[in-house]
């Protein structure tokens, strides 16, 4: 079995690449709970009040997803539990969580990570990180149209999004749960461009080969043809 997790900031294209990659490799996708998340719109309206609740909601849903992914056959997750600490500590650093909430959150996350260590498969096989600039991030946020994510909804989101990108730089450098690779989300528009999609899939395939984790049921070759079919 092969488990791939994606990472990247808001608007990077994680869900889109998850759909493309899971179809390409013949694996099962796991998506972050966003559109059916009752807390997320509340967080954007009042982040001081809802940060802790939102992070607990995400932590719980991601914990269930990663447990299922690590115990099933081949899977792709559009975000996993490994990024949760980044978001919570970023919000805590700007005063949206108190010391008790931070302590409780860290203890809960530590307990969850210890439980994952007891799984038959303890870690993903590959992290695929989508790196984007602020300009690309905002353009994709505008394109998908969630009102509460827009700068017009809350101008202070500009600082929040730029801060997020800075935090991701250190997070990616420090990540050591599995092999990792970075996709240039500014250069490759894998959602709209057929050739870019082919190139990104080729990069991920080569990395999986390198670490010896290409799914056994996947037949080598036909990268361009399969990429075209996925885009249809």
């Amino acid at each position: 079995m092969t488990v791939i997790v994606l990472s990247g900031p808001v608007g990077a294209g994680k869900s889109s690449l998850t759909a493309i990659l899971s179809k390409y490799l013949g694996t099962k996708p796991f998506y972050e709970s966003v559109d059916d998340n009752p807390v997320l719109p509340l967080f954007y309206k009042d982040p001081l009040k809802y940060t802790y609740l939102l992070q607990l909601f995400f932590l719980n849903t991601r914990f269930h997803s990663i447990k299922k992914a690590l115990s099933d056959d081949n899977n792709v997750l559009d975000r996993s539990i490994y990024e949760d600490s980044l978001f919570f500590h970023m919000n805590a650093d700007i005063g949206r969580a108190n010391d008790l909430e931070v302590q409780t959150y860290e203890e809960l996350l530590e307990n969850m990570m210890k439980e994952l260590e007891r799984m038959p498969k303890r870690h993903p096989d590959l992290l695929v990180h989508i790196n984007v600039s602020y300009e690309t991030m905002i353009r994709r946020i505008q394109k998908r149209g969630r009102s509460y994510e827009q700068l017009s909804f809350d101008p202070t989101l500009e600082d929040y999004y730029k801060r997020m990108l800075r935090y991701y730089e250190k997070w990616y450098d420090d990540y050591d749960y599995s092999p990792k690779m970075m996709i240039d989300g500014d250069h490759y528009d894998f959602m709209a461009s057929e050739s870019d999609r082919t190139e990104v899939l080729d990069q991920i395939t080569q990395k999986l080969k390198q670490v010896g984790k290409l799914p056994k049921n996947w037949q080598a070759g036909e990268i361009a043809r399969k990429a075209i079919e996925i885009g249809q």
Side-chain angles (χ1 to χ4, degrees):
M1 62 179 288
T2 299
V3 176
I4 303 170
V5 296
L6 274 71
S7 67
V10 175
K14 297 181 297 298
S15 295
S16 295
L17 186 54
T18 294
I20 293 167
L21 185 58
S22 62
K23 186 175 181 181
Y24 178 64
L25 296 175
T27 63
K28 181 179 179 180
F30 285 81
Y31 296 102
E32 181 179 32
S33 179
V34 173
D35 292 332
D36 60 346
N37 184 333
V39 187
L40 193 58
L42 299 175
F43 165 78
Y44 276 95
K45 291 178 181 178
D46 192 345
L48 188 62
K49 181 177 180 181
Y50 288 104
T51 287
Y52 186 59
L53 179 60
L54 177 66
Q55 292 304 138
L56 288 183
F57 182 93
F58 275 136
L59 187 62
N60 184 47
T61 56
R62 288 170 187 157
F63 180 64
H64 286 297
S65 291
I66 191 69
K67 279 184 66 178
K68 186 169 178 56
L70 291 174
S71 60
D72 284 355
D73 290 332
N74 305 320
N75 296 296
V76 183
L77 294 90
D78 76 337
R79 197 197 295 277
S80 81
I81 197 170
Y82 304 103
E83 289 169 85
D84 269 66
S85 183
L86 178 159
F87 282 94
F88 186 72
H89 282 282
M90 181 181 74
N91 278 285
D93 288 346
I94 56 179
R96 294 175 174 177
N98 60 45
D99 291 343
L100 180 58
E101 289 172 331
V102 171
Q103 179 183 344
T104 304
Y105 179 87
E106 289 179 343
E107 290 175 355
L108 179 59
L109 179 58
E110 182 180 359
N111 288 337
M112 289 179 168
M113 297 304 287
K114 286 180 179 178
E115 183 169 338
L116 292 181
E117 288 292 332
R118 295 193 289 267
M119 298 286 292
K121 185 181 186 70
R122 295 191 293 271
H123 302 296
D125 296 297
L126 179 65
L127 170 79
V128 179
H129 179 68
I130 307 172
N131 188 48
V132 293
S133 65
Y134 174 74
E135 290 73 22
T136 297
M137 179 187 190
I138 293 301
R139 185 167 62 251
R140 291 180 178 172
I141 287 173
Q142 291 173 338
K143 185 176 181 179
R144 73 182 179 190
R146 293 178 188 143
S147 59
Y148 52 80
E149 292 179 340
Q150 308 303 320
L151 298 181
S152 58
F153 177 84
D154 180 1
T156 67
L157 285 173
E158 179 178 353
D159 177 72
Y160 183 77
Y161 290 150
K162 289 180 177 179
R163 182 185 295 266
M164 185 186 301
L165 293 174
R166 294 195 299 270
Y167 275 63
Y168 260 107
E169 290 178 6
K170 184 178 188 307
W171 178 86
Y172 180 78
D173 287 342
D174 292 343
Y175 176 89
D176 61 358
Y177 290 101
S178 70
K180 60 187 177 182
M181 65 176 294
M182 185 179 292
I183 298 296
D184 186 344
D186 288 348
H187 182 72
Y188 296 109
D189 187 354
F190 46 81
M191 292 173 279
S193 169
E194 189 177 292
S195 59
D196 287 358
R197 184 163 53 250
T198 300
E199 176 61 28
V200 166
L201 290 171
D202 190 27
Q203 289 179 21
I204 296 172
T205 301
Q206 293 306 314
K207 184 65 175 182
L208 288 170
K209 287 181 180 178
Q210 178 187 329
V211 300
K213 292 297 181 179
L214 195 65
K216 293 180 179 179
N217 62 346
W218 189 86
Q219 300 298 316
E222 300 184 327
I223 290 176
R225 182 186 64 77
K226 293 189 74 173
I228 292 170
E229 290 175 353
I230 290 166
Q232 292 176 345

